[in-house]
Amino acid sequence: MWPNERLINLFGIELPIIQAPMAGSAFSEMVVAVSEAGGLGSLACAQLTVEQAGRELESIRRRTSRPINVNFFCHRQPRSEPGREMNWRRRLAAYYIQMGLDQNAAVVSSNRTPFDDKMCDLVLEFQPEVVSFHFGLPDSNLLARVRTTGAKIVSSATSVDEARWLADQGCDAIVAQGYEAGGHRGMFLTQDISTQIGTMALVPQVVDAVNVPVIAAGGIADARGIVAAFALGAVAVQIGTAYLHCPEARISPIYRQALKEAKDNATAITNVFTGRPARGIVNRLMREVGPICDAAPEFPLAAAAVEPLRAESEKAGSADFTPLWSGQAARLNRELPAAELTRQLAEETLEKLRFLETMASPDLLAQAAALATIGRPASR
Ligand SMILES: Cc1cc2nc3c(=O)[nH]c(=O)nc-3n(C[C@H](O)[C@H](O)[C@H](O)COP(=O)(O)O)c2cc1C
């Protein structure tokens, strides 16, 4: 029924649609809705404590027996650099003063933690069918423990080199994350944001470079994008931003409103919220301090000094200091429950594929065959 069923069969799902893991925005209710609809729901754990992740997983396993994906960041936790962090605070000092906040108050450290033994214990306990990573892969001991559960292992690549590296480490599938994508760039072999590649160019080059199934991500929000992903050689899509419009997304009303109003050119890549490049809707902090700022401490340390500004400005109903992660296709939004969105995306994709099939009439096929012979010597 689908142009390529490799991933559906590998993951044991019905539809080639993965709801992207979205740390801080998508939790158990979204995962259950998408998985029950036949897609693959994903729980991102990067901003959860082990206890919180355990509660979410318990709730998911109670409500669905369908396959799920559990996702982790696997960056190396950087050493604190007090000088750099002080300098960053100085860079933000004017905002602290404006909001009447104490610049010297102890800042709660950022809660974006890498995959570790405790999170790995949770994987062993809940045995998700798919475990995916962002920013490469965890160290080989942790990865070996994950493998013992039989979970399929997935990670994001933003270049052919990264895809090859992930395939060499034994990933079962690779997410080709184009430049259009919302949230953090999964890049891990380069820090050069200027050479990152769009989905249209990245997917077929990754498909040509690796033997494992490739999942297209970045700027895909409707059936047109999914059909295009198949045409590029992908076997499934991973969709983030389109799911943020669903009622199941646990996001603030100001974030929801910003997404609703976002135009095609509303987003940019920035490092000012966390220290790593991520795509979000441009707001005051990005405009005035970034979008890229060399003074931002290494990921995830930059977040600590921004956090009090976010909390204070949100109290006043402002998104000036809020990370508004979004891909470039936010304007293709439709506000539907996540299960409904998943089913509609699948149905509309199949409709489009059927339409394309009927377009391939015998006449057209004959024309294509004739075109193929133009300029070639006639065979005797
Ligand atoms: C709000 C948000 C949070 C995200 N958090 C994560 C995450 O925790 N882990 C991850 O692997 N990818 C994360 N991503 C990236 C997605 O996996 C995916 O690459 C991206 O959403 C695809 O682009 P799209 O948003 O245009 O659909 C996030 C994306 C968004 C929009």
Coordinates of all heavy atoms in Angstrom, one line a residue, residues 221-252:
A221 N 4.9 19.0 6.6 CA 3.7 19.3 7.5 C 2.4 18.8 6.8 O 1.3 18.9 7.4 CB 3.6 20.8 7.8
D222 N 2.4 18.3 5.6 CA 1.2 17.8 5.0 C 1.5 16.8 4.0 O 2.7 16.4 3.8 CB 0.4 19.0 4.4 CG 1.1 19.7 3.2 OD1 2.1 19.1 2.7 OD2 0.6 20.8 2.8
A223 N 0.5 16.3 3.3 CA 0.7 15.1 2.4 C 1.6 15.5 1.2 O 2.4 14.6 0.8 CB -0.7 14.7 1.8
R224 N 1.7 16.7 0.8 CA 2.6 17.1 -0.3 C 4.1 16.8 0.2 O 4.9 16.3 -0.6 CB 2.5 18.6 -0.7 CG 1.1 18.8 -1.3 CD 0.9 20.3 -1.5 NE 0.7 21.0 -0.1 CZ 0.3 22.2 0.0 NH1 0.1 23.0 -1.0 NH2 0.2 22.7 1.2
G225 N 4.4 17.2 1.4 CA 5.7 16.9 1.9 C 6.0 15.4 2.1 O 7.1 15.0 1.8
I226 N 5.0 14.7 2.5 CA 5.2 13.2 2.7 C 5.5 12.5 1.4 O 6.4 11.7 1.2 CB 4.1 12.6 3.5 CG1 3.9 13.3 4.8 CG2 4.3 11.1 3.7 CD1 2.6 12.9 5.6
V227 N 4.6 12.9 0.4 CA 4.8 12.3 -1.0 C 6.2 12.7 -1.5 O 6.9 11.8 -2.0 CB 3.7 12.8 -1.9 CG1 4.1 12.4 -3.4 CG2 2.4 12.3 -1.5
A228 N 6.6 13.9 -1.3 CA 8.0 14.3 -1.7 C 9.0 13.5 -1.0 O 10.0 13.1 -1.7 CB 8.1 15.8 -1.5
A229 N 8.9 13.3 0.3 CA 9.9 12.5 1.0 C 10.0 11.1 0.4 O 11.1 10.6 0.2 CB 9.5 12.4 2.5
F230 N 8.9 10.5 0.1 CA 9.0 9.2 -0.6 C 9.7 9.3 -1.9 O 10.5 8.4 -2.2 CB 7.6 8.6 -0.8 CG 7.0 7.9 0.4 CD1 5.9 8.3 1.1 CD2 7.7 6.7 0.9 CE1 5.4 7.6 2.2 CE2 7.2 6.0 2.0 CZ 6.1 6.5 2.7
A231 N 9.4 10.3 -2.7 CA 10.0 10.5 -4.0 C 11.5 10.6 -3.8 O 12.3 10.2 -4.7 CB 9.4 11.7 -4.7
L232 N 12.0 11.2 -2.7 CA 13.4 11.4 -2.5 C 14.1 10.1 -2.0 O 15.3 10.1 -1.8 CB 13.6 12.5 -1.4 CG 13.1 13.9 -1.9 CD1 13.2 14.9 -0.7 CD2 13.9 14.5 -3.1
G233 N 13.3 9.1 -1.7 CA 13.9 7.9 -1.3 C 13.7 7.6 0.2 O 14.2 6.5 0.7
A234 N 13.0 8.5 0.9 CA 12.8 8.2 2.4 C 11.7 7.1 2.5 O 10.9 6.9 1.6 CB 12.4 9.5 3.1
V235 N 11.7 6.4 3.7 CA 10.8 5.4 3.9 C 9.7 5.8 4.9 O 8.8 5.0 5.2 CB 11.4 4.1 4.3 CG1 12.3 3.5 3.2 CG2 12.2 4.3 5.6
A236 N 9.9 7.0 5.5 CA 8.9 7.5 6.5 C 9.3 8.9 6.7 O 10.3 9.4 6.2 CB 9.0 6.7 7.8
V237 N 8.4 9.6 7.4 CA 8.7 11.0 7.8 C 8.7 11.2 9.3 O 8.0 10.4 10.0 CB 7.7 12.0 7.2 CG1 7.8 12.0 5.7 CG2 6.2 11.6 7.5
Q238 N 9.4 12.1 9.8 CA 9.3 12.5 11.2 C 8.9 14.0 11.3 O 9.6 14.8 10.8 CB 10.7 12.3 11.9 CG 10.7 12.8 13.4 CD 11.8 12.1 14.2 OE1 11.9 10.9 14.3 NE2 12.7 13.0 14.7
I239 N 7.7 14.2 11.9 CA 7.1 15.5 11.8 C 7.0 16.1 13.2 O 6.5 15.4 14.1 CB 5.6 15.3 11.2 CG1 5.8 14.9 9.7 CG2 4.9 16.6 11.3 CD1 4.4 14.6 9.1
G240 N 7.5 17.3 13.4 CA 7.5 17.9 14.7 C 6.5 19.1 14.8 O 5.4 19.0 15.4
T241 N 6.8 20.2 14.1 CA 6.0 21.4 14.2 C 4.5 21.2 14.0 O 3.7 21.8 14.7 CB 6.6 22.5 13.3 OG1 8.0 22.6 13.6 CG2 5.9 23.8 13.5
A242 N 4.2 20.4 13.0 CA 2.7 20.2 12.7 C 2.0 19.7 13.9 O 0.8 20.0 14.1 CB 2.5 19.3 11.5
Y243 N 2.7 18.9 14.7 CA 2.0 18.3 15.9 C 2.0 19.3 17.1 O 1.2 19.1 18.0 CB 2.8 17.0 16.4 CG 2.4 15.8 15.6 CD1 3.2 15.3 14.6 CD2 1.1 15.2 15.8 CE1 2.8 14.2 13.8 CE2 0.8 14.1 15.1 CZ 1.6 13.6 14.1 OH 1.2 12.5 13.3
L244 N 2.7 20.4 17.0 CA 2.7 21.4 18.1 C 1.3 22.1 18.1 O 0.9 22.7 19.1 CB 3.8 22.4 17.9 CG 5.2 21.9 18.2 CD1 6.2 23.0 17.9 CD2 5.3 21.5 19.7
H245 N 0.6 22.1 17.0 CA -0.7 22.7 16.9 C -1.8 21.9 17.5 O -2.9 22.3 17.6 CB -1.0 23.0 15.4 CG -0.1 23.9 14.8 ND1 -0.1 25.3 14.9 CD2 1.0 23.7 13.9 CE1 0.9 25.9 14.2 NE2 1.5 24.9 13.6
C246 N -1.5 20.6 17.8 CA -2.5 19.7 18.4 C -2.8 20.1 19.8 O -1.9 20.5 20.6 CB -2.0 18.3 18.3 SG -1.6 17.7 16.7
P247 N -4.1 19.8 20.3 CA -4.4 20.1 21.7 C -3.5 19.3 22.7 O -3.3 19.8 23.8 CB -5.8 19.7 21.8 CG -6.2 18.9 20.6 CD -5.2 19.3 19.5
E248 N -3.0 18.2 22.2 CA -2.2 17.4 23.1 C -0.8 18.0 23.4 O -0.1 17.6 24.4 CB -1.9 16.0 22.5 CG -3.1 15.1 22.5 CD -3.9 15.2 21.2 OE1 -3.7 16.2 20.5 OE2 -4.8 14.3 21.0
A249 N -0.4 18.9 22.6 CA 1.0 19.6 22.8 C 0.9 20.4 24.1 O 0.0 21.2 24.3 CB 1.3 20.5 21.7
R250 N 1.8 20.1 25.1 CA 1.8 20.8 26.4 C 2.6 22.0 26.2 O 3.8 22.1 26.6 CB 2.3 19.9 27.5 CG 1.3 19.0 28.1 CD 1.9 18.4 29.4 NE 1.7 17.0 29.5 CZ 2.3 16.2 30.3 NH1 3.2 16.7 31.1 NH2 2.1 14.9 30.3
I251 N 2.0 23.1 25.6 CA 2.8 24.3 25.4 C 2.0 25.5 25.9 O 0.7 25.4 26.0 CB 3.2 24.5 23.9 CG1 1.9 24.6 23.0 CG2 4.1 23.5 23.4 CD1 2.3 24.9 21.5
S252 N 2.6 26.6 26.2 CA 1.9 27.7 26.8 C 1.1 28.4 25.7 O 1.3 28.3 24.5 CB 2.9 28.7 27.3 OG 3.7 29.2 26.2

